[in-house]
Amino acid sequence: MLSAIEQLNSRLQHHQLKELLTDYQGLSSVLQAAQLQHLYQLANSSEVKYLFLQNVAAHLLEASPLPNEAVGFIDDIDKLSFFTPGLKFQNAFNITDQQGNNLLHHLFSHCQANKLPFNYLRSLMLFESNESLAVALKAQNQQGLTPIGCYIACNNNTQMPAKHEFSALLAMMEVDQTHHKSASHALLTALKRFYGVNKPSLTESKILLCAAYLQTPTNMIIATLR
């Protein structure tokens, strides 16, 4: 892995972009994922080179599909923003890891309360005409959870999203209203695990979000969880 990173650094240093692309296409998916992560780390350490490195990453993702091993790496809005130009290629939003998670599953599970991605993603859906995003939003992982289901049941954040993020989340819930009934069951099962022996109240954010997502009264959600 070290040699792949050293090779990448050398190609960047000498501006050998065609050779860098050829190198990348010959790597295993594990090493491709390592190079993509390294590009992000380099970009974060150099504001001057950020756009250049973002463009390099986009060319790599255009040439080869997003590696399965890199799906879980894009777990916050900063990483999503960096890789966005390249994610429109090769159906990247719908590539999954071994657990059936696409990058939205990971992003929604791990995003922080002060860096929610919903408004950003809604903008991508509205202005980039990215149909694969809508497909990825409805996808179920091996547990049967959609990305929104992961946010509600698996994210440790228990705060209600800020107004603009909440509005964007509701808009994405509308896109996802055609999800399979098994996704609803999976969400309620995961929420039971989240709360354990504790009894959630009607006003808890996860209960309110679950009710909005499943279009079910909150008291029915509570009754199901008890």
Side-chain angles (χ1 to χ4, degrees):
M1 182 178 296
L2 181 60
S3 61
I5 299 302
E6 290 175 342
Q7 186 180 51
L8 173 64
N9 287 335
S10 177
R11 296 300 193 192
L12 290 172
Q13 183 179 358
H14 295 93
H15 294 276
Q16 297 172 325
L17 300 185
K18 289 184 179 180
E19 292 83 355
L20 186 156
L21 186 60
T22 300
D23 295 340
Y24 180 82
Q25 290 176 305
L27 294 175
S28 68
S29 59
V30 172
L31 293 180
Q32 286 181 341
Q35 286 200 346
L36 290 172
Q37 291 183 36
H38 186 64
L39 283 171
Y40 173 75
Q41 292 163 356
L42 288 176
N44 264 4
S45 65
S46 175
E47 185 176 344
V48 173
K49 295 182 180 179
Y50 184 93
L51 290 178
F52 167 70
L53 294 169
Q54 184 183 49
N55 188 50
V56 171
H59 280 296
L60 297 183
L61 290 172
E62 182 179 11
S64 294
L66 178 72
N68 303 82
E69 292 81 1
V71 171
F73 175 69
I74 306 174
D75 58 2
D76 65 42
I77 192 169
D78 294 330
K79 294 171 186 174
L80 175 65
S81 178
F82 176 77
F83 287 109
T84 288
L87 294 176
K88 63 184 178 182
F89 303 112
Q90 305 274 8
N91 202 29
F93 283 102
N94 291 288
I95 292 173
T96 59
D97 62 15
Q98 292 183 342
Q99 288 73 46
N101 296 300
N102 59 39
L103 68 88
L104 294 185
H105 285 100
H106 286 283
L107 181 65
F108 287 17
S109 294
H110 301 291
C111 59
Q112 299 176 5
N114 62 339
K115 285 189 174 183
L116 295 177
F118 308 127
N119 195 50
Y120 181 84
L121 285 167
R122 181 176 63 172
S123 296
L124 288 183
M125 295 177 71
L126 289 175
F127 302 113
E128 298 294 332
S129 300
N130 199 323
E131 296 180 3
S132 66
L133 255 177
V135 175
L137 200 60
K138 302 174 187 177
Q140 293 175 247
N141 62 15
Q142 289 182 1
Q143 292 180 290
L145 291 168
T146 63
I148 292 176
C150 282
Y151 173 68
I152 296 171
C154 304
N155 194 295
N156 290 327
N157 175 35
T158 56
Q159 303 175 29
M160 186 62 76
K163 185 176 180 180
H164 67 290
E165 293 289 352
F166 179 61
S167 175
L169 179 58
L170 289 178
M172 285 191 284
M173 285 182 180
E174 291 182 9
V175 173
D176 187 21
Q177 282 307 312
T178 58
H179 61 257
H180 196 275
K181 289 183 179 179
S182 61
S184 302
H185 177 73
L187 171 54
L188 292 171
T189 300
L191 269 181
K192 282 184 180 181
R193 289 196 300 269
F194 180 86
Y195 284 109
V197 296
N198 300 312
K199 294 182 179 180
S201 69
L202 289 170
T203 58
E204 289 191 26
S205 64
K206 287 184 178 292
I207 300 302
L208 296 172
L209 291 173
C210 183
Y213 183 49
L214 301 183
Q215 297 186 329
T216 303
T218 52
N219 60 338
M220 290 185 66
I221 300 293
I222 293 291
T224 303
L225 296 179
R226 288 175 178 170

